[in-house]
Amino acid sequence: MISDIVAIIRDYWLLLLIGQYPNGPLGGLAATLMLSVLAIAFAFPVSIALALARLSKSPFLNWPVTALVYFTRGVPLLMLILWGYFLVPLVTGANVPAFLTMLVTLVVYQGAFLSEVVRGGIVALGHGQMEAARALGHSYLGAMRYVILPQALYNVIPSIISVFVATIKDTTLGYVINVPDLTFAASQINNQLLTQPFQVFFILAAVYYVICWSLSRVAVLTERRITRRRAGTAPQPTAKSLKLAALTDQPS
Amino acid sequence: MNTTVPSNNSPMIQLKGVRKSYGLYEVLKGIDAEVARGEVVVICGPSGSGKSTLIRTVNRLEEIGSGSIVCDGNNIHQPMPARELNLLRSRIGFVFQSFNLFPHLSAIDNIAISPIRVKGVPREAAYAKATQLLERVGLADKAHAYPGQLSGGQQQRVAIARALAMEPPVMLFDEPTSALDPEMVGEVLAVMKGLAADGMTMMCVTHEMGFARDVADRVWFIDQGQIIESAPPDEFFSRPQTTRAQRFLSDLRH
Ligand SMILES: Nc1ncnc2c1ncn2[C@@H]1O[C@H](COP(=O)(O)OP(=O)(O)OP(=O)(O)O)[C@@H](O)[C@H]1O
Ligand SMILES: [Mg+2]
């Protein structure tokens, strides 16, 4: 059993890592990570924009975004992916790569979910902070950027991380529109071996687990560092400690 | 900007026929009053009489229904672009009952952030000024403490320093000591006394009658949305004209 798994990894590690590349598109774990990172990197700012739009008093901003959020939250992600895959080329006539379809769908879908988390964090903060900032002359957006969001986002870090983890897991759905990611590579291997589905998909599960677990760890550590800094118990950062932090703490 | 250059003897704050309603309930029923330059006005009155609402209309944290408010030569409630209103607000210091310090920033960052982000003051100048202000409110040693590590009295003193950092010609206080434990009231009042002594124009909602007696040039007594007495403190305290003010003062003493 374990030797099977080792053998599979030995024989197929390159496929699992980068898919058919360079003979085909970049795939495997590399594609999964790229899709995850890009989806999160875009969904996060999108979610803040959506949250601000929903908090806006202007019906032109508020209304369509509210509709979008309700719609997105009420429809299974798989539906959105299939619609995007079949409808967009039909309507626009453009040949959209599956990777891009998947990315955009994930950004919209997770952005909508995340916007509710962000909005909750902002609302939970109460009026006092915004009033204090406005009384000092900050613009609405300035107050958001320097006063409200740093607190609101910090307070909802655990929920934000749940959405990030969900995003990574949801990249597996790209399989249905042939995005050549890690799941796709694993099922290719499974189709070749035919007899070892448990072993193949065990590897798949283990890799996703490690990715998601690492992300949670990074989040917990980040949160702790912010907490310590805000409680003032951390020593004032010096040039040296900053350089050290750059070497040891940066996930990228 | 709507700067009709204020002459030195024009009032700092001028309220004319200010009315405001929440729904059908009229909170301010025609306020006419003036605060001269360098004057300290204490506003008192029963709970719900409209003191907070009134003081919050001066920097337009609340809109008004009708009337006008001119502060330092600027007509605060006329239609204007958001940028201009932000600029006007930055020139009116406001101190809240609940401090409202920014909990994610240290004391000195709380003070320096607005000069940097709103006025574009260079960082070094802003921090030098913030250090000075912390000294002025007696908290030089707390520069890097976070609000959560400060007592109520210390937080309120930082909040005053934060407002002063924008160099406003006028300061508004809405019950600055009401949320404090009794032993901390004195340290905040002392800072406010110092400000008054330096010639700051101040409008101050408070029930600290000792402060009113020592520092105020004038006391406004508000009841049911109207200023029904306006007099120098010794006159107001020794010879209140209306029965409502008499009752209010005797309630305070007991
Ligand atoms: N946002 C609001 N919506 C509706 N009514 C309000 C609102 N804010 C204040 N009021 C009402 O307006 C009246 C005046 O309120 P205000 O806060 O100005 O009183 P106050 O004199 O400051 O009282 P206190 O001494 O309790 O602080 C009160 O009856 C209050 O219930
Ligand atoms: Mg009040």
Side-chain angles (χ1 to χ4, degrees):
Chain A
M1 164 78 206
I2 290 178
S3 60
D4 289 347
I5 291 174
V6 172
I8 293 173
I9 293 175
R10 192 192 57 220
D11 295 344
Y12 293 101
W13 64 273
L14 197 60
L15 182 67
L16 286 169
L17 220 52
I18 57 172
Q20 308 282 2
Y21 191 81
N23 303 318
L26 183 66
L29 180 61
T32 290
L33 287 179
M34 217 161 77
L35 191 55
S36 302
V37 168
L38 288 176
I40 288 171
F42 286 116
F44 190 49
V46 162
S47 75
I48 292 174
L50 293 181
L52 293 185
R54 278 205 74 187
L55 288 168
S56 146
K57 288 187 198 93
S58 152
F60 295 101
L61 284 173
N62 187 325
W63 225 87
V65 172
T66 305
L68 175 78
V69 169
Y70 271 82
F71 173 76
T72 316
R73 300 209 319 163
V75 173
L77 176 56
L78 193 57
M79 283 322 100
L80 291 181
I81 296 169
L82 291 173
W83 275 343
Y85 185 65
F86 291 115
L87 279 183
V88 172
L90 212 66
V91 173
T92 64
N95 185 11
V96 186
F99 185 91
L100 187 61
T101 304
M102 190 60 201
L103 178 59
V104 172
T105 314
L106 273 178
V107 167
V108 172
Y109 188 78
Q110 302 296 359
F113 268 87
L114 205 49
S115 77
E116 288 295 276
V117 171
V118 172
R119 191 172 67 102
I122 293 173
V123 170
L125 221 50
H127 286 299
Q129 292 289 307
M130 179 54 96
E131 272 187 354
R134 297 311 298 275
L136 286 160
H138 291 267
S139 66
Y140 178 80
L141 288 180
M144 272 293 166
R145 168 152 174 222
Y146 299 114
V147 176
I148 305 297
L149 285 175
Q151 297 180 61
L153 294 179
Y154 167 73
N155 291 340
V156 296
I157 285 178
S159 310
I160 292 177
I161 295 309
S162 310
V163 177
F164 285 180
V165 168
T167 307
I168 295 175
K169 291 183 184 165
D170 285 347
T171 59
T172 55
L173 290 175
Y175 172 70
V176 302
I177 59 170
N178 294 330
V179 175
D181 68 341
L182 183 62
T183 308
F184 190 82
S187 71
Q188 273 182 313
I189 296 168
N190 186 45
N191 289 345
Q192 284 181 27
L193 295 174
L194 286 174
T195 55
Q196 300 177 356
F198 177 80
Q199 289 85 333
V200 171
F201 289 111
F202 177 84
I203 296 172
L204 189 63
V207 174
Y208 280 110
Y209 182 84
V210 168
I211 299 172
C212 295
W213 181 84
S214 320
L215 179 61
S216 310
R217 274 312 290 169
V218 170
V220 169
L221 292 179
T222 310
E223 191 181 8
R224 250 187 237 157
R225 245 178 57 208
I226 301 176
T227 309
R228 227 180 302 132
R229 185 154 52 80
R230 287 189 184 172
T233 49
Q236 290 301 312
T238 59
K240 193 174 157 212
S241 72
L242 280 178
K243 223 179 273 165
L244 271 179
L247 290 175
T248 55
D249 295 16
Q250 303 244 322
S252 56
Chain B
M1 267 193 60
N2 52 336
T3 38
T4 44
V5 176
S7 73
N8 271 345
N9 47 15
S10 72
M12 180 67 84
I13 302 172
Q14 192 171 34
L15 303 123
K16 278 190 190 154
V18 173
R19 289 178 175 271
K20 175 175 180 71
S21 304
Y22 288 115
L24 291 176
Y25 180 65
E26 192 166 41
V27 190
L28 300 179
K29 299 174 182 161
I31 303 279
D32 289 285
E34 284 183 1
V35 180
R37 283 169 195 278
E39 194 179 21
V40 176
V41 169
V42 159
I43 304 171
C44 62
S47 182
S49 56
K51 306 181 295 294
S52 296
T53 308
L54 175 63
I55 202 165
R56 288 161 57 88
T57 59
V58 175
N59 71 344
R60 206 164 156 181
L61 283 180
E62 301 281 356
E63 297 293 333
I64 59 177
S66 63
S68 74
I69 299 176
V70 173
C71 181
D72 200 19
N74 300 298
N75 191 344
I76 301 291
H77 285 268
Q78 77 183 2
M80 65 177 93
R83 285 182 57 94
E84 198 173 315
L85 178 58
N86 296 337
L87 198 67
L88 288 184
R89 281 211 183 101
S90 75
R91 315 240 328 123
I92 303 173
F94 198 101
V95 176
F96 297 84
Q97 179 176 350
S98 50
F99 329 136
N100 292 349
L101 286 185
F102 306 136
H104 61 301
L105 300 177
S106 64
I108 197 162
D109 288 338
N110 260 279
I111 299 170
I113 188 170
S114 303
I116 294 172
R117 298 297 177 188
V118 176
K119 288 208 320 197
V121 175
R123 295 186 72 84
E124 288 191 3
Y127 279 93
K129 170 98 189 175
T131 307
Q132 248 177 25
L133 285 166
L134 277 169
E135 268 162 32
R136 183 162 172 193
V137 300
L139 290 170
D141 53 330
K142 297 290 184 189
H144 297 287
Y146 281 73
Q149 301 168 304
L150 298 173
S151 74
Q154 291 171 332
Q155 287 189 56
Q156 193 62 297
R157 284 187 280 156
V158 173
I160 293 172
R162 178 177 70 173
L164 290 174
M166 299 303 283
E167 304 183 317
V170 53
M171 290 279 289
L172 312 177
F173 297 83
D174 188 6
E175 304 207 34
T177 57
S178 298
L180 297 178
D181 292 337
E183 71 267 23
M184 295 170 187
V185 170
E187 63 194 57
V188 172
L189 292 181
V191 168
M192 292 168 61
K193 276 183 193 175
L195 269 182
D198 291 346
M200 177 64 78
T201 308
M202 293 162 62
M203 201 166 150
C204 187
V205 178
T206 182
H207 291 153
E208 293 295 331
M209 291 306 139
F211 175 81
R213 225 183 257 281
D214 295 349
V215 180
D217 298 302
R218 190 161 276 276
V219 177
W220 296 353
F221 178 73
I222 297 198
D223 192 39
Q224 296 179 6
Q226 284 177 309
I227 298 179
I228 60 173
E229 290 200 32
S230 167
D234 47 348
E235 199 178 310
F236 176 72
F237 289 118
S238 52
R239 294 183 298 281
Q241 303 293 305
T242 60
T243 50
R244 279 182 284 183
Q246 286 158 15
R247 193 169 336 117
F248 174 78
L249 285 173
S250 80
D251 284 351
L252 266 192
R253 289 190 188 108
H254 300 124

